[in-house]
Amino acid sequence: MFPTPCNWLLRQNKLLKFQNTLPVLDELVGGLHPGQIIELCGPSGIGKSQVCWHLIRDCLNAGKNVAMISSRKIQDYDLENLPNLSNLSISYASSVYNLLVSLAAVNSMSVSLVVIDGIQPLLQAVLGSANFKGQALLNEVKCGIGTVSVKSLVIYTNGLVSVGDGNHGPALGRAWEVAPSVRIMMLRDREGGRVMWRNREVTARLEIGDQGVEISWN
Amino acid sequence: MALPITSLPIPQSTVRYLSSRNVVYLSDLLKTLPWLDSYNEESVILQMEELNLPEVHRRLLTDFLINHLHQTAFQAPQIGKKLVPIITFSSSLDSLLCGGIFPNEIVEFLGEPGSGTSQLCMQLAVDCSIPEMFGGRACKSLLIDCNGDTCNIRLNQMAKATLTHLNLIARSAEEKDITSKLTVDELLSKVYTARCTNYTQLIALINTVSKDCNYGAIIIDALATHFRHEFEDMRQRTNIIAEFSNKLHKLCIDAPVSLIIVNQVRMDGEGSIQPCLGESWSHTATRRIFLRRVSTDVYSATIMKGKRSGETANFRISSRGIRDCPAQ
């Protein structure tokens, strides 16, 4: 690859952005364009997958291709209201090696959006005190995601772990903390509403409806 | 991928053999297998036999390919035919569950002791064998008992009550014909029970069942029992649970099974009720339902995660099994 001026690359990437109906999320993450790796981190049931499906629907509406790598079976009711189903490709990953092979395969497809739903169970199984190969595999996954993100927007969902004193942090350890370009923490506030945080400073409010999600500034 | 083959879960002897054949990275290995795009187990075994590998390496590599690289093909999804849910015999609970428990999903039931979880498990196991003519799934079910709460006498009671119910609602001649020939024995012959006394047995059972699963529902009563008290090393527990969760997902993807898992709850530092087994387990289930005992025989179910999150429904547990609460 020849050296390319960065502002040209950034402009190209921004041009490749697909039309989306979540302008607040767009601003929160600094742009939903290729080159971004977005991590949605939060406790179970807070709506990470819902946000992903909303973005998939937007991308399919714009006529672009979407690739999804999922660790859990996708139900028919998720696929019900999606247009242009032939532009969506789904692959199931039940172990890290599956994930690596799928990421390599995505490279040869031309997709605008890559969603990896449920990356935590895949990677958690190889990490641990007895398994020093775990970090190497984590690194490989990071590189794989990085390569894919050159041409597409990558979004994946992670979970939380407790980090002592009742606090929670993103799962998968310190080495994984630097993997995404933006990490969005989704938490419940005192009244039970859902809040999305970026870098513990900027917040937005999430509401889940029948037709999709709504994100507004806090 | 520049992932060296030493990181793969294959033994050192096979790694050495592959390096002698100049296969050093995972990408090299995949290059020798050009048919990775779409294949099933039989074709993997056949095509591995065509390559001239020594027997022991061939077997190990085939195992690795089947277990880890299976089904990585990208496919466009198709909305399949209408799926038949497993009902719970309580219409309020069924409508809360959007019809019941569907195939290919993992549903988690949480509750304190005495909140109706084991009764619900037994009822779901019996409901799997309802004939198709009456809107049931007519499939085998496996009830894995970790606690010792499954009672054959109670299953018998529930099956008898189901048969009585089917006899009452049979209208057409065909339906009456089926119910007249149906016996409690036949209904119960489709319900299999297994007892696990530690987590290794549980994992071994799931491994055996995954190989060729012809059950329609697998119900694990109290998953947390063996994981709560046997582990000193919490990291090891997290890893084992994560791998178990992967196996369960793979089982759901490969076969049209419904996985129903009962979990226990604990009190955390601030006095609120939390599910057991930690945050990493919480992401496994696609739906989570919290059960609670309201009064003598009235119980309530609240959806914590999944469609209709936050809604509640009441049901009753009587001598016949799970039924609706009588209208006020």
Side-chain angles (χ1 to χ4, degrees):
Chain A
M1 270 185 68
F2 292 104
T4 358
C6 291
N7 55 355
W8 185 85
L9 274 176
L10 196 57
R11 261 205 310 272
Q12 286 296 95
N13 278 342
K14 287 205 194 283
L15 283 176
L16 291 170
K17 195 154 69 160
F18 56 86
Q19 277 287 75
N20 60 66
T21 57
L22 297 172
V24 177
L25 184 65
D26 206 339
E27 226 182 290
L28 189 70
V29 301
L32 288 168
H33 55 246
Q36 289 271 59
I37 306 174
I38 302 177
E39 174 175 321
L40 295 175
C41 188
S44 156
I46 203 159
K48 311 183 281 289
S49 301
Q50 301 295 317
V51 174
C52 290
W53 282 112
H54 188 111
L55 282 170
I56 291 179
R57 200 174 56 195
D58 284 344
C59 195
L60 290 175
N61 263 328
K64 304 281 172 88
N65 289 331
V66 179
M68 181 160 190
I69 305 175
S70 177
S71 63
R72 52 185 81 145
K73 177 96 170 122
I74 291 173
Q75 306 291 333
D76 278 346
Y77 56 72
D78 286 324
L79 300 171
E80 255 165 12
N81 298 327
L82 296 180
N84 300 336
L85 267 184
S86 51
N87 285 348
L88 171 65
S89 312
I90 301 186
S91 163
Y92 291 107
S94 45
S95 76
V96 204
Y97 310 101
N98 263 347
L99 177 61
L100 286 171
V101 174
S102 299
L103 284 173
V106 168
N107 252 334
S108 51
M109 298 159 57
S110 68
V111 282
S112 300
L113 172 64
V114 178
V115 176
I116 309 176
D117 197 5
I119 212 175
Q120 187 194 3
L122 300 174
L123 297 179
Q124 193 78 57
V126 289
L127 291 174
S129 39
N131 198 345
F132 54 89
K133 299 177 187 171
Q135 292 296 338
L137 284 166
L138 223 65
N139 239 357
E140 271 300 323
V141 174
K142 253 193 258 179
C143 292
I145 293 182
T147 322
V148 168
S149 78
V150 168
K151 287 192 273 176
S152 345
L153 168 65
V154 180
I155 298 190
Y156 64 88
T157 62
N158 194 5
L160 292 181
V161 283
S162 28
V163 287
D165 287 344
N167 288 330
H168 291 285
L172 300 176
R174 298 300 292 264
W176 190 255
E177 272 190 25
V178 297
S181 54
V182 186
R183 173 175 278 118
I184 304 283
M185 291 277 284
M186 300 169 68
L187 300 164
R188 287 201 188 262
D189 65 6
R190 258 174 246 132
E191 290 92 44
R194 301 162 213 251
V195 191
M196 303 173 83
W197 292 79
R198 195 198 71 190
N199 291 341
R200 291 180 221 161
E201 302 168 336
V202 201
T203 62
R205 199 155 278 283
L206 170 71
E207 253 126 48
I208 302 187
D210 277 332
Q211 295 305 315
V213 302
E214 271 172 34
I215 305 185
S216 51
W217 287 114
N218 213 354
Chain B
M1 285 154 285
L3 182 70
I5 51 174
T6 42
S7 339
L8 301 178
I10 46 182
Q12 276 297 95
S13 51
T14 315
V15 168
R16 261 178 271 136
Y17 172 76
L18 288 173
S19 329
S20 67
R21 297 287 221 90
N22 267 338
V23 173
V24 180
Y25 296 109
L26 181 60
S27 39
D28 297 337
L29 180 63
L30 294 177
K31 261 188 231 148
T32 64
L33 313 168
W35 24 265
L36 203 61
D37 275 332
S38 58
Y39 60 94
N40 54 24
E41 242 176 79
E42 288 93 27
S43 74
V44 172
I45 299 178
L46 280 175
Q47 286 175 334
M48 283 301 279
E49 278 172 21
E50 282 172 32
L51 300 175
N52 281 331
L53 297 172
E55 166 78 32
V56 60
H57 299 310
R58 180 173 56 75
R59 227 175 340 114
L60 291 163
L61 278 175
T62 319
D63 272 340
F64 167 65
L65 285 172
I66 291 178
N67 288 330
H68 286 283
L69 299 183
H70 191 39
Q71 282 193 343
T72 47
F74 275 94
Q75 297 157 344
Q78 283 147 350
I79 301 204
K81 52 185 165 73
K82 205 160 180 322
L83 297 167
V84 182
I86 307 174
I87 61 168
T88 60
F89 255 107
S90 155
S91 56
S92 55
L93 191 52
D94 280 338
S95 60
L96 185 72
L97 294 171
C98 303
I101 315 253
F102 290 90
N104 295 323
E105 69 171 350
I106 304 183
V107 181
E108 190 181 330
F109 286 100
L110 299 166
E112 292 173 21
S115 49
T117 46
S118 301
Q119 296 287 320
L120 189 57
C121 285
M122 290 192 273
Q123 183 72 63
L124 288 167
V126 168
D127 288 345
C128 278
S129 47
I130 294 179
E132 278 152 355
M133 177 105 355
F134 293 94
R137 274 227 243 160
C139 57
K140 300 199 299 188
S141 58
L142 173 62
L143 183 46
I144 303 179
D145 185 18
C146 301
N147 261 343
D149 282 338
T150 306
C151 179
N152 283 338
I153 300 175
R154 183 63 167 144
L155 281 168
N156 213 332
Q157 214 180 20
M158 285 178 165
K160 260 197 210 138
T162 309
L163 191 56
T164 321
H165 178 89
L166 290 178
N167 269 320
L168 284 174
I169 64 173
R171 292 269 173 271
S172 70
E174 260 185 271
E175 291 175 358
K176 289 202 199 250
D177 189 39
I178 293 184
T179 52
S180 60
K181 293 202 195 108
L182 210 53
T183 58
V184 174
D185 243 358
E186 220 181 286
L187 278 180
L188 282 184
S189 66
K190 292 213 179 96
V191 179
Y192 291 75
T193 56
R195 178 94 169 87
C196 287
T197 46
N198 54 40
Y199 74 91
T200 340
Q201 277 185 10
L202 178 60
I203 296 178
L205 184 56
I206 296 287
N207 278 343
T208 324
V209 165
S210 307
K211 290 220 171 81
D212 191 9
C213 185
N214 50 7
Y215 297 100
I218 297 181
I219 307 171
I220 304 181
D221 196 348
L223 178 65
T225 332
H226 300 311
F227 285 99
R228 279 178 92 172
H229 308 294
E230 284 180 30
F231 285 89
E232 287 170 0
D233 184 4
M234 274 300 139
R235 262 203 194 161
Q236 188 197 22
R237 188 184 96 162
T238 316
N239 280 4
I240 294 185
I241 291 182
E243 212 170 305
F244 189 58
S245 151
N246 277 346
K247 283 204 181 75
L248 293 177
H249 275 307
K250 188 159 186 295
L251 182 55
C252 270
I253 290 171
D254 287 341
V257 197
S258 310
L259 271 177
I260 298 155
I261 304 183
V262 170
N263 200 358
Q264 294 166 346
V265 292
R266 59 180 174 92
M267 292 282 250
D268 72 357
E270 291 144 30
S272 62
I273 292 184
Q274 294 290 327
C276 284
L277 299 181
E279 278 287 339
S280 40
W281 170 258
S282 331
H283 300 277
T284 306
T286 45
R287 283 204 278 181
R288 289 182 116 187
I289 299 145
F290 185 67
L291 298 176
R292 212 165 47 90
R293 185 175 195 171
V294 174
S295 68
T296 325
D297 53 352
V298 177
Y299 297 77
S300 81
T302 315
I303 298 214
M304 282 167 60
K305 172 180 173 185
K307 261 202 159 180
R308 301 180 146 214
S309 166
E311 288 181 29
T312 314
N314 283 358
F315 60 94
R316 194 162 63 103
I317 300 185
S318 69
S319 61
R320 289 177 291 156
I322 307 257
R323 295 292 186 267
D324 268 327
C325 282
Q328 242 59 64

